[in-house]
Amino acid sequence: MIESVAVMSVDLGSEFMKIAIVKPGVPMEIVLNKESRRKTPLAVSIRGEERQFGEMALAQSIKTPKFAYIYLTQILGKSLDSPHVKSYLSRYPFYDIREDPTSKTIYFQHDENQKFTPEELLAMLLEYARELAADFGEQAIDGTVITVPAYFNQAERKAVLRAADIANLKILQLINSNIAAGLNYGVFRRKDFNSTGTNLMFFDMGGSGTIATIATFLMVKHKDDYEANPQLTVRGIGFDRGLGGQEFTLRLAKHLAKIFSEKNKKDVFKNAKATMKIYKEAERVKNILSANSETMAQIENVLDDIDFKVKVTREEFENLCTDLFERIEKIVHDATKSSELSEDEVESIILVGGSTRIPRVQAELKKAANKNDLGKYLNTDEAAALGAVYQAAYQSKGYKVKKFYIKDANIYPICVDFEKYVAPGETIDADASSSIRRVLFERFNPFPQKKVMTFSKHVEDFEFKINYGDMSFLSQDYINGIGSLNLSQVQVTGVKELYENHPNEETKGVKVHFRLDDSGLIRLDKIDITFEKTSTESSSEESTLSKIGNKISSFFGGKNEEPVEEENRENANSDTTHEQVKNESNQTEQASTPETKPLNDTVTNSTEPAPNSQKNATQVKSQILKENVKFKQIELDLVAIDENTISESKSKLKNIRDKEKARLKRAAAINSLEAFVFELKDSLTQDEFIKCSTSEEREKIGAKVEEVDNWLYETDNTVHTKDFQDKLAELKASCRDVKFRISEKKLRPKKLDELKDVLNKSVGFLSHTKNLTGENLPLTETEWNSLDKLINTTKVFG
Ligand SMILES: Nc1ncnc2c1ncn2[C@@H]1O[C@H](COP(=O)(O)OP(=O)(O)OP(=O)(O)O)[C@@H](O)[C@H]1O
Ligand SMILES: [Mg+2]
C-alpha cells in the first residue's frame, strides 16, 4: 500500500444496500450498520427535522408512509409519464409525485415546504452508507464503487452518479452487479482458471429484477503482463427488470388483503398504513415459506382496530406466483442464446440475490438451464458488495491488487445519427434519405472501449445525435420505460475555419473520440482534426499518390457509399484491460499538438495516415498537427442539471444535516442538565454532602436546583441549546465549593499515604548513602543536603 486510504463499495439494490470496505492492512469486509446487520434497507424517512435510515425508516413507513421513501432506484431519472413511475404510484398511491418542468424528471412533494428528488433521497442514503463505512472502519472513505443492475440504461446510470455527486462521494466507477459477484467468485479461484476458459452463469434475483449473466473466466496475458491473469468476459445476458422479490411479496399481500376484505368488508389498499402493514407481513411470510411449508400471517390492528391472522402454505404462495416463476425460463434462454454457447458448455449456475432462496425459483432455474445442481458458492447477499470493493481497491491506486481483467458487454446499442453533408452547388436525389445512422457500440460490444468516428466530408459546422440504436429486441412496453431514445445532441463548430487555416495540408476529416467507460456510460472525449504537412517534393508526390489511392478506393466503395465517410474502429487498446484503459485515460491532450517526426517514426494513433515512402525516409519530413474542434453536447435523456441546481441540492442536504446536528446537540444539552439536576437533588440528601457543607449553603443550592428544575419543566422549543448549557454552568457554580471539599476529602488520605511512602523511601535512601565515600557517589554533597532539607520540611508539613 502506498497511501493510507479506505475505499468502500455500495451494492445498490432496490430493497437493500450492502456496504463493504477495504482499509490498509485489513482485507475486504462487509460493513455492519447501526443495528449490527450486514444489509441495510434502502429506505429513508423524514419527519420534520428528523431523518431515519434503513430499518428505522422502514418502521416509520408503517406509521407515516408518505414520509418514508423506498424502492428509489426504480424511479431514478424518470419523467411523470414513465411506466415505472406509474407502477410505483399504483403500489404506493400515497406519495405526491410531481414533475419538474425544467429537468422533466420527478420529485416528491414532501410537505407544504419541502420537496425531494429521488436523486436527493438516494444521495442521503449514500451519505449514510459512507458514514456507516467510516464509523465501521474508523477511517475516512476516499473512493467508492457502486453496483447497478446490468439493465440500467444511460439515464439511470447518470442519475446514480448525480446522487453520488450531491452526496460528495468520489465515485471510482459504477459496476454491473453480476460482474461484481463474478469478481468475488473469481478472485479466490485464480488458480482454477486456464487458457481455454470456464463458462459460468451468475443468476441474480433480488428485490426488483432478475439478471442472468453468462461469463467466461480464462487466463490471458496482455502486453506488459509478466504472467497470465484471469479475465472475466461477459458472453450473454438475459434479464427481466420486473421479476423480483417485490413482485412475489405483492402477490402475497394481495392474497392476504383479499382474505381480510372478505372477512371484514374493508379494503386494506385504501388505507396507506394498512397497505404498508400488509406489505411488510407478506414479505416476512414469503421469506419464512422458503424454509417452511406453512406459516401464520399475523397483523395487529390492520385497520380500525381489527387484527388479522391466517395460515399460508408454500403451495398457496407458489400457486399465486406461477406465472412469475415461469418467466425465469426466458431469462435463462436469452442469456444462453446471446452467449452462443450450448447449455452443456455452461459449467455451473451460481446463485446471487435474496430471492434465489425461494425453492421454486431454484427448481425453475434448474429446469430452464437443464442442470441437476446449482452452484451455491457465493454469499447471495454479499457477493456483489465484496466484488465491488475489490474493484474499488484496484481503482483507487492506493492498493496493490492482483489484476483481474473485465470485459463487460453493452446491452443497449448506441449509434450516431447525422445528416449527409451536401456541398454548396451539389444536388441530392429527392428520393434518397439524407439521414445517416452509424452504429457506434453494438449490442454485446465489450466495454470499457474507445471508438473513433470520422466525418471526412463535413467541412463546415455540423450536428449529430447520439441515440440508442435498434431496440427491436425489446418489447414496446420496455422501450417506453426507457424514456427518451435520444441520448444527446452534439453541435460541432469552427470546422470551416480550421480547414481554411490549413489549406495545403492533408487530413482524413473530423474525428470524434467516443468511449464507453468502465461505468457503461457513453462519453464524448474530444473532437479533433489531424492535419499532415509534408515538406519535400518527394512527400508531395506521395500525397498525390495517396489522394489518387483514396479516390480509387472510394470508387470501388460502390454507389451505395455515402458521401460522408466515417470510420468506425475499435481502438487499438480495445481489449479493455484494466491497465490499458487506465493508461489511455491518463493521457492529457493539449488543445493543439504539433509534432514533427521523421517519416519512419511510428504514428501511435492508428487512425492517422501511415507515414509514407520508406526510401525517402531520411530526407522527407512530415509535420502532424492535431487541432481540437469545439463542440457543445446537450443531454437529451436526463436533462443536464447545471452546477447551481446540484449546489442547491447539496446545500439542501447540508441544511438538513446541520439541523440534525443542532438537534442532537440540543438534546444532549437538555440531557446533561436534567441529569445534573437529578444528581444534585440526590446529593443534597447524602451524608457526604451534608458533612462538607453548611446548612445555609445547602439551602441556597436547594433553592437553585428547584429554580432550574422548574425552568426546565416550562421550557419549550424556543429555548436555545446555549440556554441549557448556561443553566448547567450556573448550577455547577452554585455547588462548586461543596463539591471541591468532597473531592478533597476523598483524595486527601490517598495522597497522604502516597506522600508518606515517598518520604519513607527517601529517608531510607538518605541514611543508606550517608556514610558512603569515594568516587561515583549517587548524589553530590549539595544534592544530598537539599534532599535532607526537603525531607525535614516535609515531615513538618505532614
Ligand atoms: N429467505 C428468503 N426467501 C425469499 N425471499 C427472500 C429471502 N431472503 C430475502 N429474500 C428477498 O430477497 C429480496 C432482496 O434481495 P436482494 O438484497 O438481493 O435485492 P436487492 O439487491 O435489494 O434488489 P435488486 O438487486 O433487484 O435491485 C427481497 O425481496 C427479500 O424479500
Ligand atoms: Mg441486488
Side-chain angles (χ1 to χ4, degrees):
M1 271 150 284
I2 303 161
E3 34 183 311
S4 176
V5 288
V7 290
M8 72 164 183
S9 66
V10 180
D11 174 19
L12 187 62
S14 54
E15 283 193 23
F16 292 97
M17 59 178 177
K18 300 92 184 171
I19 308 158
I21 187 173
V22 168
K23 65 173 197 168
V26 179
M28 344 180 250
E29 54 184 337
I30 290 287
V31 169
L32 302 187
N33 66 17
K34 292 190 176 155
E35 292 88 27
S36 294
R37 300 245 168 86
R38 301 172 76 82
K39 54 183 191 173
T40 305
L42 195 81
V44 49
S45 70
I46 305 169
R47 286 280 287 142
E49 281 167 10
E50 205 170 330
R51 281 186 307 177
Q52 308 274 14
F53 293 95
E55 304 284 351
M56 303 279 279
L58 276 192
Q60 195 62 44
S61 79
I62 288 175
K63 293 183 204 141
T64 50
K66 191 186 168 214
F67 300 131
Y69 300 101
I70 51 177
Y71 288 104
L72 291 164
T73 58
Q74 293 178 346
I75 48 169
L76 289 176
K78 305 261 185 302
S79 57
L80 195 53
D81 62 0
S82 159
H84 296 286
V85 176
K86 285 187 180 147
S87 84
Y88 187 87
L89 270 173
S90 74
R91 284 161 192 182
Y92 314 110
F94 41 81
Y95 290 124
D96 182 359
I97 298 186
R98 304 179 191 179
E99 188 178 279
D100 182 295
T102 321
S103 70
K104 302 270 188 290
T105 49
I106 51 159
Y107 64 87
F108 291 92
Q109 188 66 47
H110 180 75
D111 55 23
E112 263 180 35
N113 307 315
Q114 297 188 88
K115 53 185 186 180
F116 298 106
T117 63
E119 293 77 39
E120 286 168 344
L121 295 165
L122 182 59
M124 292 180 196
L125 280 150
L126 292 174
E127 269 182 356
Y128 181 66
R130 179 180 48 205
E131 185 190 318
L132 287 178
D135 285 353
F136 181 81
E138 294 174 343
Q139 198 161 353
I141 304 296
D142 189 56
T144 306
V145 168
I146 299 182
T147 75
V148 290
Y151 52 70
F152 256 29
N153 59 43
Q154 296 287 311
E156 290 171 313
R157 283 166 200 262
K158 280 192 254 182
V160 172
L161 291 185
R162 191 174 281 177
D165 187 8
I166 296 171
N168 288 317
L169 224 60
K170 180 169 135 197
I171 296 300
L172 300 163
Q173 76 165 86
L174 303 180
I175 189 168
N176 286 341
S177 52
N178 265 351
I179 301 296
L183 265 183
N184 182 233
Y185 176 89
V187 291
F188 298 112
R189 291 173 179 80
R190 295 172 70 94
K191 297 260 172 337
D192 297 354
F193 306 131
N194 53 32
S195 57
T196 30
T198 311
N199 306 315
L200 301 166
M201 180 191 286
F202 291 86
F203 184 87
D204 175 9
M205 187 183 270
S208 289
T210 303
I211 309 169
T213 308
I214 297 181
T216 300
F217 290 78
L218 84 166
M219 299 302 283
V220 291
K221 199 160 177 272
H222 289 290
K223 81 173 168 32
D224 300 338
D225 280 351
Y226 292 116
E227 51 173 12
N229 286 299
Q231 174 169 297
L232 182 168
T233 309
V234 173
R235 303 289 295 274
I237 300 177
F239 61 89
D240 185 334
R241 65 180 294 169
L243 183 65
Q246 184 191 23
E247 207 56 49
F248 298 124
T249 302
L250 283 176
R251 289 285 169 96
L252 201 50
K254 281 182 186 158
H255 171 72
L256 298 180
K258 194 165 159 244
I259 299 173
F260 182 86
S261 89
E262 277 165 7
K263 261 195 200 158
N264 303 294
K265 309 280 170 271
K266 283 180 197 284
D267 186 354
V268 170
F269 294 122
K270 288 223 164 94
N271 179 300
K273 282 189 203 179
T275 303
M276 294 313 286
K277 280 184 189 174
I278 283 271
Y279 285 165
K280 187 167 183 241
E281 182 60 4
E283 169 127 2
R284 192 188 69 84
V285 166
K286 175 191 77 173
N287 294 356
I288 292 176
L289 289 178
S290 291
N292 300 271
S293 56
E294 59 177 58
T295 189
M296 293 304 283
Q298 206 166 343
I299 309 171
E300 265 178 42
N301 182 17
V302 180
L303 195 60
D304 301 337
D305 279 334
I306 309 169
D307 296 344
F308 178 62
K309 193 171 175 181
V310 69
K311 190 171 94 182
V312 188
T313 67
R314 185 190 288 173
E315 198 183 344
E316 275 174 297
F317 168 65
E318 290 184 355
N319 290 338
L320 291 168
C321 303
T322 310
D323 59 315
L324 297 178
F325 294 125
E326 282 169 357
R327 277 156 64 178
I328 290 173
E329 187 182 4
K330 182 173 184 313
I331 303 169
V332 171
H333 287 179
D334 283 354
T336 319
K337 195 166 162 235
S338 57
S339 73
E340 294 175 355
L341 293 168
S342 69
E343 271 173 2
D344 296 343
E345 284 173 297
V346 178
E347 266 179 39
S348 187
I349 298 183
I350 295 168
L351 299 180
V352 187
S355 297
T356 56
R357 293 196 183 99
I358 300 174
R360 181 69 183 273
V361 167
Q362 297 187 8
E364 293 291 332
L365 187 53
K366 279 192 221 165
K367 200 165 82 186
N370 210 0
K371 295 273 186 267
N372 293 326
D373 301 306
L374 297 170
K376 296 176 183 170
Y377 306 111
L378 297 181
N379 180 321
T380 51
D381 289 333
E382 298 172 6
L386 290 171
V389 88
Y390 184 89
Q391 186 69 358
Y394 178 83
Q395 294 281 31
S396 85
K397 301 183 183 74
Y399 296 82
K400 262 198 171 153
V401 175
K402 283 192 174 171
K403 282 181 193 162
F404 205 112
Y405 298 115
I406 296 171
K407 270 189 173 187
D408 203 343
N410 178 40
I411 289 194
Y412 308 112
I414 294 171
C415 65
V416 170
D417 288 318
F418 56 95
E419 292 298 311
K420 188 169 170 177
Y421 177 72
V422 184
E426 198 180 328
T427 51
I428 46 165
D429 189 346
D431 299 336
S433 161
S434 60
S435 303
I436 299 175
R437 164 167 283 199
R438 292 285 179 263
V439 178
L440 204 56
F441 292 99
E442 291 271 16
R443 200 160 132 66
F444 292 111
N445 264 183
F447 74 86
Q449 185 181 179
K450 292 184 174 186
K451 285 200 179 177
V452 178
M453 185 172 152
T454 308
F455 290 86
S456 57
K457 297 285 179 194
H458 288 75
V459 290
E460 289 173 38
D461 291 358
F462 64 100
E463 276 187 11
F464 61 86
K465 272 190 181 158
I466 305 173
N467 293 331
Y468 286 118
D470 177 12
M471 303 286 253
S472 58
F473 64 99
L474 297 165
S475 70
Q476 193 51 48
D477 277 354
Y478 191 96
I479 296 173
N480 295 343
I482 290 180
S484 167
L485 296 181
N486 302 120
L487 296 171
S488 63
Q489 183 178 12
V490 182
Q491 293 160 352
V492 189
T493 53
V495 178
K496 193 173 175 192
E497 291 75 8
L498 282 174
Y499 278 121
E500 281 170 0
N501 289 344
H502 300 275
N504 301 319
E505 287 138 49
E506 282 201 35
T507 171
K508 284 229 165 152
V510 181
K511 288 184 193 303
V512 188
H513 299 257
F514 293 103
R515 182 163 51 103
L516 199 55
D517 70 7
D518 298 279
S519 303
L521 276 163
I522 177 80
R523 306 277 186 193
L524 199 174
D525 286 335
K526 61 174 177 175
I527 302 181
D528 59 22
I529 306 178
T530 305
F531 293 99
E532 189 181 4
K533 190 178 187 179
T534 41
S535 55
T536 67
E537 244 180 41
S538 55
S539 78
S540 77
E541 264 170 36
E542 281 301 322
S543 70
T544 316
L545 277 177
S546 92
K547 270 184 197 159
I548 293 170
N550 281 346
K551 286 216 167 111
I552 293 172
S553 65
S554 83
F555 177 78
F556 283 111
K559 61 176 186 294
N560 289 336
E561 187 92 347
E562 298 292 346
V564 180
E565 281 176 32
E566 31 81 46
E567 195 176 296
N568 221 354
R569 164 190 85 91
E570 286 200 6
N571 188 281
N573 287 325
S574 68
D575 54 358
T576 64
T577 64
H578 280 321
E579 285 254 291
Q580 286 152 331
V581 168
K582 216 178 256 175
N583 289 343
E584 290 271 336
S585 59
N586 284 344
Q587 285 176 5
T588 44
E589 295 268 350
Q590 300 294 315
S592 147
T593 330
E595 325 161 9
T596 308
K597 297 184 171 202
L599 271 177
N600 53 359
D601 258 13
T602 342
V603 179
T604 43
N605 187 337
S606 64
T607 53
E608 305 309 332
N612 47 29
S613 178
Q614 285 187 358
K615 64 180 176 196
N616 291 334
T618 48
Q619 304 146 22
V620 183
K621 292 257 172 153
S622 142
Q623 194 186 45
I624 290 175
L625 188 74
K626 253 185 209 168
E627 294 273 23
N628 276 358
V629 183
K630 283 195 199 126
F631 68 91
K632 188 174 168 200
Q633 187 169 16
I634 303 156
E635 287 194 54
L636 301 172
D637 59 338
L638 184 67
V639 175
I641 290 185
D642 56 31
E643 273 309 308
N644 279 349
T645 322
I646 293 280
S647 320
E648 268 169 35
S649 293
K650 284 185 182 184
S651 46
K652 193 194 273 186
L653 261 65
K654 184 174 178 301
N655 218 352
I656 295 176
R657 275 197 317 272
D658 288 349
K659 280 187 179 159
E660 265 169 0
K661 267 192 210 148
R663 196 171 44 78
L664 287 176
K665 208 170 152 194
R666 189 173 187 274
I670 297 175
N671 221 354
S672 307
L673 184 57
E674 281 174 349
F676 198 76
V677 167
F678 182 80
E679 182 200 310
L680 199 52
K681 276 188 174 178
D682 187 52
S683 301
L684 280 167
T685 63
Q686 302 286 324
D687 275 358
E688 202 175 36
F689 199 93
I690 295 170
K691 274 185 198 151
C692 294
S693 56
T694 63
S695 60
E696 198 182 319
E697 275 173 328
R698 285 194 300 280
E699 218 169 275
K700 230 170 146 186
I701 295 169
K704 185 73 193 166
V705 183
E706 229 25 71
E707 176 210 311
V708 173
D709 201 13
N710 290 337
W711 177 84
L712 250 175
Y713 184 73
E714 282 163 16
T715 51
D716 57 19
N717 288 339
T718 58
V719 180
H720 296 293
T721 306
K722 179 141 189 329
D723 297 333
F724 294 104
Q725 290 166 337
D726 290 349
K727 281 279 175 236
L728 182 63
E730 275 173 37
L731 209 52
K732 281 186 173 170
S734 74
C735 60
R736 187 174 296 131
D737 292 349
V738 183
K739 291 247 171 189
F740 179 73
R741 274 175 238 143
I742 295 172
S743 80
E744 277 289 288
K745 197 165 167 258
K746 265 190 210 157
L747 274 178
R748 181 172 285 153
K750 194 171 157 237
K751 291 287 167 199
L752 210 58
D753 285 350
E754 280 170 16
L755 184 63
K756 277 181 189 158
D757 188 43
V758 174
L759 199 63
N760 287 341
K761 281 182 184 150
S762 305
V763 170
F765 174 76
L766 216 60
S767 67
H768 184 72
T769 51
K770 191 174 183 179
N771 300 321
L772 290 180
T773 51
E775 286 181 10
N776 295 331
L777 294 176
L779 296 177
T780 62
E781 199 181 335
T782 331
E783 283 169 345
W784 198 94
N785 285 334
S786 47
L787 182 61
D788 187 35
K789 206 170 155 199
L790 188 63
I791 288 171
N792 287 328
T793 47
T794 310
K795 277 180 184 164
V796 173
F797 171 78

